[in-house]
Amino acid sequence: MKIEYKIANGSKSETKELTLIDLQWKDFCKVADLGLKVSRPNGSQFTDMTDFIMLYTGKSGEDMRKWRDNSNSQTAFINEIAIVFQAISEYMESKKK
């Protein structure tokens, strides 16, 4: 399944997409735990969001580094991670209805 999200690119917005994978039970439990952790800030929100995204997309640490390196800046990458986390969360919540 694919999700789309938008990020700012200068004065325009750019639509990107990610493919989500079906999770095994153990990984589903991990993302549920990560979602709960992010909702209660504990100082590791970025790590929790990236772990969540990595589980849902099957991306490795190397994939995440490449994504970061292809971003315009570290701030742009951090912002995109937050947007993707929200997009995945909203998509998964909409599937429950």
Side-chain angles (χ1 to χ4, degrees):
M1 61 197 119
K2 292 186 186 237
I3 63 164
E4 290 186 346
Y5 62 97
K6 292 184 181 190
I7 61 167
N9 189 358
S11 61
K12 299 179 181 180
S13 70
E14 178 181 349
T15 300
K16 292 187 170 189
E17 70 178 25
L18 281 173
T19 300
L20 304 182
I21 60 174
D22 289 327
L23 298 178
Q24 298 297 322
W25 179 250
K26 185 175 180 178
D27 288 337
F28 171 80
C29 292
K30 285 180 189 177
V31 297
D33 288 343
L34 290 167
L36 291 170
K37 283 178 69 178
V38 169
S39 70
R40 294 201 168 115
N42 61 1
S44 65
Q45 292 89 332
F46 183 76
T47 299
D48 296 340
M49 285 189 291
T50 58
D51 288 346
F52 180 93
I53 291 166
M54 289 170 68
L55 286 165
Y56 266 116
T57 62
K59 289 186 179 293
S60 66
E62 182 61 29
D63 294 329
M64 297 301 284
R65 281 189 291 279
K66 287 178 185 174
W67 185 358
R68 178 200 61 201
D69 293 346
N70 288 327
S71 293
N72 292 335
S73 66
Q74 183 171 330
T75 301
F77 175 67
I78 292 168
N79 289 340
E80 187 169 352
I81 290 299
I83 291 166
V84 170
F85 174 82
Q86 182 176 355
I88 292 171
S89 298
E90 288 173 358
Y91 175 80
M92 297 314 290
E93 193 61 35
S94 73
K95 277 184 60 175
K96 293 178 184 176
K97 296 177 180 177

